[in-house]
Amino acid sequence: IIKDTCTTVGAIAEALGDLFDEEACTLFPLLFELCGSAKKVMSSSAVSCMTAIVTHCRGGGTCLAAVMTQVSRDKSAQIRAHCMAVMAEALSVWTEEQLSPHRELISATLASGMQDAGNGARANARKSFAAFWRLWPADGDLITVKRSLFVSIDRVQLQIATPPVLPAEGNASIRAFVRNARNGEPLSG
């Protein structure tokens, strides 16, 4: 029943387009729940329904905004991955003029999606990023720079947080270790 319902809603979205935008957005909380279902049929039906709605109901972009908000709010990695896949589809289908009002939200969603703990969400975020970068290369470069900066900062913090290894050979070695540290030589045992 759920599969048929999702197919019907997708067909309605395709037939009515922007006229169905408001009503379709009210269905999104239910579709998000279905995306997290352990049953593959229900999950894939919900994703295809959301994709149909987002691709055909471009009205004010409220459905796309709901999907992007869900990426940052939901605790389920599966739901975040599905939402990023829907976003990738929207970025590849919508025009630049339709996406422009949501540019900052898309940028923030992509930045968080590419740092997501879930592998599926990161993979779909990279697909979305490719479409985003084709539309706005300067913004895409900015996301890349910010991301590499955060990775560099994390690596530096990891190096600072790692204590040096003290030598185990006795007092003479410890004195040499401390003397080398004061002279700025590498701290290794």
Side-chain angles (χ1 to χ4, degrees):
I1 293 174
I2 290 176
K3 181 180 177 184
D4 292 336
T5 304
C6 287
T7 305
T8 304
V9 169
I12 292 170
E14 187 175 348
L16 295 178
D18 292 343
L19 298 174
F20 188 60
D21 190 44
E22 266 185 56
E23 291 77 18
C25 288
T26 61
L27 299 173
F28 268 79
L30 298 171
L31 292 172
F32 291 137
E33 284 182 36
L34 287 175
C35 281
S37 174
K39 297 184 179 180
K40 184 81 172 159
V41 174
M42 292 170 62
S43 177
S44 62
S45 297
V47 171
S48 64
C49 182
M50 284 194 318
T51 304
I53 290 170
V54 167
T55 40
H56 298 294
C57 300
R58 302 177 191 179
T62 51
C63 292
L64 181 61
V67 170
M68 290 188 288
T69 308
Q70 196 68 24
V71 170
S72 61
R73 283 188 187 166
D74 209 292
K75 294 180 182 178
S76 169
Q78 181 181 5
I79 293 174
R80 290 192 313 267
H82 289 313
C83 288
M84 288 304 293
V86 170
M87 189 172 141
E89 184 67 27
L91 284 170
S92 64
V93 175
W94 286 31
T95 65
E96 184 176 347
E97 292 79 28
Q98 293 168 325
L99 290 169
S100 288
H102 310 288
R103 192 171 176 172
E104 289 182 24
L105 182 58
I106 294 170
S107 177
T109 304
L110 287 174
S112 68
M114 289 194 295
Q115 295 177 354
D116 197 281
N119 190 28
R122 282 194 315 270
N124 288 326
R126 286 190 293 271
K127 291 177 190 173
S128 298
F129 176 76
F132 179 80
W133 189 81
R134 276 186 234 112
L135 291 172
W136 300 292
D139 290 351
D141 291 342
L142 186 63
I143 291 172
T144 306
V145 168
K146 285 181 182 177
R147 184 168 179 257
S148 62
L149 178 66
F150 285 127
V151 169
S152 298
I153 290 171
D154 287 344
R155 286 184 184 150
V156 168
Q157 287 176 345
L158 181 64
Q159 290 172 352
I160 292 171
T162 307
V165 179
L166 292 175
E169 290 92 33
N171 288 341
S173 296
I174 292 175
R175 278 189 226 111
F177 176 82
V178 171
R179 184 177 54 248
N180 290 343
R182 286 183 186 150
N183 294 333
E185 296 178 18
L187 301 176
S188 59

